[in-house]
Amino acid sequence: MFATYLIGLREGLEATLVVSILVAFLVKSQRRDRLPQVWAGVGLAVALSVLFGWLIEYTSTSLLSRSEDRELFEAITSVAAVVFVTWMIFWMRRAARSIAGELRGKLTEALAVGSLAVAGMAFLAVVREGLETALIFYSAAQGAAGDSGPLLALIGGIATAVVLGVLLYASALRINLSKFFTWTGALLILVAAGILKYGVHDFQEAGVLPGLNDLAFDITGALDPSTWYAALLAGMFNVTPAPTVLETIAWVAYAVPVLLLFLRPARRRPAPTATTTTTVTERGADTGAEAEAASPPQRA
């Protein structure tokens, strides 16, 4: 359940920071009349994300009758989730410096067009996070059919992210978002490695890949699946005591290089000149959510 909580926290905080930047910009610009359009766009994005998650689950449980088809569908969604997680982590690492300015620029253009453009801009800014969350959650929660724990953990993570976002907006809380995104990014890479491993197993179950009975090792005697710590490792990172050779190769081949690339020190950039440095002091919301969001994630 920790894995799904982490997914909700990470994706939820990204979406919350985006909304905070939009709201803060409208408030500073004396355009509070456009706030309802922003919330309408956010609400539509959330609704579409929930619908997308339901559609994935419905496809797996109701539209696919053969077990081989379900295994293949779950394998494909697992690979897609790994691609989205990897892209999201590295995109956030690279784009965090400029995201606030880009959002303000797009919102300025939308304000000039009209209310529908404002709602559409807010929708597009949030829906990406929502669709990613739905897909990654489905892939991470596979094997927990009938268990409401992963869903409750996801909701808990999103609720925590919303609370943190509100506190940041109100300047009642300051956290080092660079370190936060670095640590959560590293953990999500391990979660993604487990999702990929699960996807490989599903491909083997579906008969697409060979080696379903070729075990890399079997440490069931040392890592009893019935123990709490074995369940924790399996739930978080899909670490199992008897994986197949292909599962193990996939886990290592993804986790090791991606972690090394993500945790390597960022290149030092020249310090900005006085003419390009933006100082945000007009409102507490900027010094909390917006200013921190504009800080580039660095190695903790």
Side-chain angles (χ1 to χ4, degrees):
M1 289 192 296
F2 177 77
T4 53
Y5 176 84
L6 179 64
I7 291 168
L9 178 62
R10 167 81 185 216
E11 295 285 343
L13 188 56
E14 287 187 21
T16 302
L17 289 175
V18 167
V19 175
S20 298
I21 292 170
L22 297 180
V23 171
F25 179 76
L26 289 177
V27 171
K28 285 195 312 175
S29 304
Q30 303 297 318
R31 297 302 304 270
R32 292 176 181 267
D33 58 307
R34 295 301 188 189
L35 287 177
Q37 285 78 40
V38 169
W39 293 119
V42 171
L44 182 59
V46 172
L48 181 60
S49 302
V50 173
L51 177 62
F52 178 65
W54 173 84
L55 182 60
I56 296 176
E57 181 67 21
Y58 180 75
T59 300
S60 176
T61 58
S62 301
L63 297 184
L64 301 177
S65 56
R66 295 197 313 150
S67 60
E68 293 84 357
D69 294 336
R70 288 194 296 270
E71 297 289 352
L72 184 59
F73 177 77
E74 291 175 358
I76 293 173
T77 55
S78 294
V79 173
V82 172
V83 172
F84 274 115
V85 168
T86 308
W87 176 83
M88 175 266 295
I89 290 171
F90 282 96
W91 176 84
M92 191 65 184
R93 186 175 188 264
R94 182 184 66 254
R97 176 184 292 271
S98 59
I99 187 173
E102 290 178 359
L103 285 172
R104 287 193 294 265
K106 291 179 180 179
L107 187 55
T108 299
E109 295 174 359
L111 286 170
V113 174
S115 58
L116 286 179
V118 173
M121 191 266 170
F123 169 80
L124 292 175
V126 175
V127 73
R128 179 180 64 85
E129 306 292 345
L131 296 180
E132 285 179 2
T133 301
L135 180 60
I136 299 168
F137 167 73
Y138 171 79
S139 301
Q142 289 180 34
D147 184 3
S148 61
L151 179 59
L152 294 177
L154 178 75
I155 295 174
I158 294 174
T160 303
V162 172
V163 171
L164 289 176
V166 171
L167 291 176
L168 286 171
Y169 179 85
S171 294
L173 175 69
R174 292 188 64 85
I175 62 175
N176 189 321
L177 291 180
S178 296
K179 290 186 177 181
F180 172 84
F181 284 121
T182 297
W183 283 107
T184 57
L187 288 174
L188 276 180
I189 289 172
L190 296 179
V191 171
I195 293 175
L196 180 61
K197 175 176 174 287
Y198 196 101
V200 169
H201 183 79
D202 282 337
F203 276 126
Q204 291 178 313
E205 290 277 3
V208 176
L209 293 177
L212 180 60
N213 298 316
D214 297 333
L215 300 183
F217 52 83
D218 188 348
I219 56 172
T220 306
L223 188 63
D224 186 353
S226 63
T227 59
W228 67 269
Y229 51 86
L232 181 64
L233 288 174
M236 288 177 59
F237 309 123
N238 197 27
V239 174
T240 54
T244 66
V245 174
L246 285 181
E247 288 179 58
T248 304
I249 291 174
W251 198 97
V252 174
Y254 174 85
V256 174
V258 175
L259 269 176
L260 290 177
L261 286 173
F262 180 73
L263 295 176
R264 67 178 180 177
R267 293 181 179 179
R268 295 287 184 179
R269 297 183 178 182
T273 62
T275 58
T276 59
T277 301
T278 302
T279 304
V280 184
T281 57
E282 294 94 336
R283 186 175 176 82
D286 294 320
T287 59
E290 190 173 8
E292 289 283 4
S295 300
Q298 300 173 351
R299 183 179 177 183

